[in-house]
Amino acid sequence: MNQQAMMRLKKMQKQMMEAQEKLESSVFTGTAGGGVVTVEVKGTHEVLSVTIDEEAIKDDLEMVQDMIVIAINDANKKIDAETQKTMGAFGGGMGLF
């Protein structure tokens, strides 16, 4: 591998690391029940907060529990989509992501 190719590879590696760090520090919001449940999840899949409409708790606790799961899964899907979009650009058709 020549020196120019090595420099391009190092630059791409640095860009990938920066993109990964940005993804991991980003916060994604998932919702369920039309906003009855809202969760915030970091790009590392760490759940930061769960907000539940007080009225929903009074009506049906089991439904609210299901909505929490749905909201977390919604946020995780957004993380996965953003990861694919961001990191897929570095695969450049090489099938890396």
Side-chain angles (χ1 to χ4, degrees), residues 13-24:
Q13 182 179 21
K14 181 182 177 192
Q15 290 172 333
M16 285 177 64
M17 296 285 289
E18 290 170 351
Q20 184 67 34
E21 288 172 7
K22 182 178 178 186
L23 277 168
E24 290 176 357

Side-chain angles (χ1 to χ4, degrees), residues 23-94:
L23 277 168
E24 290 176 357
S25 66
S26 295
V27 176
F28 297 83
T29 302
T31 61
V36 172
V37 174
T38 303
V39 297
E40 290 187 337
V41 181
K42 283 182 67 172
T44 58
H45 296 276
E46 176 187 354
V47 178
L48 299 174
S49 69
V50 177
T51 305
I52 303 168
D53 183 329
E54 288 182 38
E55 291 300 314
I57 295 172
K58 295 175 186 174
D59 293 338
D60 187 349
L61 181 59
E62 188 175 324
M63 180 184 69
V64 173
Q65 291 168 335
D66 290 342
M67 283 193 278
I68 292 169
V69 172
I70 292 167
I72 291 171
N73 288 336
D74 181 44
N76 283 329
K77 286 177 187 175
K78 290 175 182 177
I79 293 168
D80 292 343
E82 186 64 23
T83 299
Q84 183 67 27
K85 180 178 134 188
T86 301
M87 301 310 286
F90 294 104
M94 298 188 307

